[in-house]
Amino acid sequence: PGPAWIVATGLFGKTRGDSPESPSARFIIMSWWFFMMVILSMYTANLAASLTVNNMDVQIKSVQDLLSQSSISWGTVRATHTETVMEHSVDPFYRELVRKGFHV
């Protein structure tokens, strides 16, 4: 038996006595186990994502909401294009964001 088959049978609790002899049968069985591992990984990832999304409650939906709250800090990097555009914006809320935010 090939080394990959020995590792696969050891991981999944199969004994070497009932392992298939032909390479095509080994390929089919290893493909099935690989497919099942991918499905299990996708299920686990989706379960974790769905459990964390429900706990996230976004309260900020606009610039005005960001300015009116104090629980989340924000800011810009000094001397960047974003800071310059916000400083010279015609919208007073963006100028206020630059004034109240942290500068890194």
Side-chain angles (χ1 to χ4, degrees), residues 12 29-43:
F12 300 115
I29 291 173
M30 289 180 70
S31 298
W32 173 254
W33 281 110
F34 180 74
F35 173 74
M36 291 309 296
M37 294 300 285
V38 169
I39 295 296
L40 181 65
S41 300
M42 289 172 38
Y43 172 76

Side-chain angles (χ1 to χ4, degrees), residues 44-99:
T44 304
N46 283 329
L47 179 64
S50 67
L51 290 175
T52 56
V53 167
N54 292 338
N55 294 334
M56 294 173 40
D57 189 21
V58 179
Q59 300 288 333
I60 299 173
K61 297 185 187 220
S62 67
V63 177
Q64 293 86 353
D65 294 341
L66 183 62
L67 284 170
S68 65
Q69 60 85 34
S70 61
S71 61
I72 299 174
S73 58
W74 73 92
T76 60
V77 179
R78 288 190 193 276
T80 59
H81 180 70
T82 304
E83 183 183 40
T84 305
V85 167
M86 289 172 67
E87 281 177 339
H88 297 94
S89 174
V90 293
D91 190 350
F93 291 112
Y94 289 109
R95 291 195 305 264
E96 187 72 13
L97 276 177
V98 174
R99 191 180 68 76

Side-chain angles (χ1 to χ4, degrees), residues 4-27:
W5 183 253
I6 292 171
V7 170
T9 57
L11 285 175
F12 300 115
K14 300 281 287 180
T15 61
R16 292 183 59 198
D18 60 349
S19 61
E21 295 295 323
S22 67
S24 60
R26 289 181 182 176
F27 177 75

